[in-house]
Amino acid sequence: PLTCNEVIVTTDLDWALVAGHELKAELSGSQTDAGESENEVISVHILDGERDVTFNYEITTVKGTLSVYARSITVIAGSAKKVYDGQELVCQTYKLFKEEGEPLVLDHQERVVVAGSQTEVGESANKIVSVQIFAGERDVTFNYAITCEDGVLLVTPRSVTFVTATNEWVYDGVAHSDGGHRVSDTSAYPLADGQTSASSSLTEITDVGSAKNVMTVTVSDSAGRDVTSNYEITYEYGTLTVTPRPVTIT
């Protein structure tokens, strides 16, 4: 608790106490929690050596004030980052900060709730939802001036390389295409668990010759939702070939 046993003696005369006299005062004030209370003089004795000479003085007492200010601390939500995997990114960590000294005093313990999540590519705030501080079972949060800072949840694109199919046909006047594809052995990542790919905008070849097997690959999650925007897709193109049709004329 905050206490103050000092007193200030004033007078309209040139001096307050006669030379050699000593003042002893007892005060009753005490303040532990944030707030204010009175500091009151409850007894005054003026001594000349061992002799009490208080009766020679006309004493007026004035109450003082004991002020305890709330302890300023900052609660900072944790930040986290990962490559997209179709799963929710959460971070329940936090830290307490004070510019000087320990954030909490004595045996005080904090109870902090952090909320935030990010699944798709992008970022969002990880927020401090509530802060409570306890001394045992007693809530002493009011003794703290609490500032909260958000963390950041960041999901980055998943880099996947697809190899498109290579195929060959004998010329038959029909347009041929092959939407086959697979994740390359050198791909930075495989598809996220439970997700599948499909091809569209296929290259077609009809006449004799060859062409890169260019296509567009999209990715869907287990619910059939298009999640291609969460991927950074590159290609290793296969080759489509049409060979001459052998004909014998006799």
Side-chain angles (χ1 to χ4, degrees):
L2 171 66
T3 61
C4 180
N5 293 313
E6 296 181 1
V7 296
I8 299 173
V9 180
T10 61
T11 181
D12 292 333
L13 303 176
D14 292 337
W15 33 266
L17 298 183
V18 171
H21 288 188
E22 178 187 7
L23 182 144
K24 293 185 177 180
E26 183 180 353
L27 294 88
S28 65
S30 175
Q31 182 71 26
T32 301
D33 292 327
E36 293 184 349
S37 62
E38 293 179 342
N39 197 26
E40 185 175 2
V41 178
I42 58 175
S43 70
V44 178
H45 295 281
I46 300 173
L47 303 177
D48 180 7
E50 296 296 320
R51 179 170 175 253
D52 190 328
V53 293
T54 309
F55 64 91
N56 289 305
Y57 292 83
E58 186 176 289
I59 300 171
T60 301
T61 61
V62 178
K63 296 175 181 178
T65 302
L66 298 176
S67 299
V68 174
Y69 300 102
R71 188 176 184 85
S72 296
I73 65 170
T74 301
V75 184
I76 305 169
S79 294
K81 175 182 177 181
K82 72 172 181 178
V83 173
Y84 172 79
D85 61 2
Q87 303 299 313
E88 187 178 53
L89 172 64
V90 295
C91 179
Q92 297 296 320
T93 64
Y94 62 88
K95 66 179 180 179
L96 304 182
F97 173 77
K98 190 177 188 304
E99 288 189 0
E100 296 181 4
E102 293 296 321
L104 303 186
V105 298
L106 303 175
D107 58 348
H108 291 183
Q109 295 289 327
E110 77 279 4
R111 298 179 190 175
V112 178
V113 176
V114 183
S117 68
Q118 183 71 27
T119 302
E120 309 294 328
V121 166
E123 65 178 59
S124 60
N126 198 32
K127 291 184 173 291
I128 302 294
V129 174
S130 67
V131 180
Q132 290 178 289
I133 299 172
F134 287 85
E137 294 301 314
R138 179 174 177 249
D139 190 329
V140 294
T141 310
F142 65 94
N143 287 306
Y144 292 83
I146 301 171
T147 300
C148 297
E149 292 185 8
D150 294 344
V152 176
L153 300 175
L154 176 63
V155 176
T156 58
R158 190 177 186 88
S159 296
V160 174
T161 299
F162 289 103
V163 177
T164 65
T166 292
N167 210 337
E168 180 178 305
W169 300 268
V170 174
Y171 174 75
D172 59 4
V174 176
H176 294 278
S177 62
D178 190 335
H181 59 277
R182 62 176 176 82
V183 176
S184 172
D185 294 337
T186 60
S187 179
Y189 295 95
L191 291 179
D193 289 346
Q195 298 189 355
T196 56
S197 60
S199 58
S200 61
S201 303
L202 306 181
T203 296
E204 293 184 340
I205 186 169
T206 302
D207 296 327
V208 170
S210 62
K212 286 184 179 179
N213 191 12
V214 176
M215 65 181 67
T216 299
V217 175
T218 55
V219 182
S220 300
D221 63 15
S222 58
R225 188 171 60 94
D226 190 328
V227 293
T228 311
S229 59
N230 294 298
Y231 284 82
E232 189 174 80
I233 296 175
T234 56
Y235 296 91
E236 295 173 6
Y237 294 115
T239 302
L240 302 180
T241 303
V242 172
T243 59
R245 188 175 190 86
V247 175
T248 300
I249 299 175
T250 58

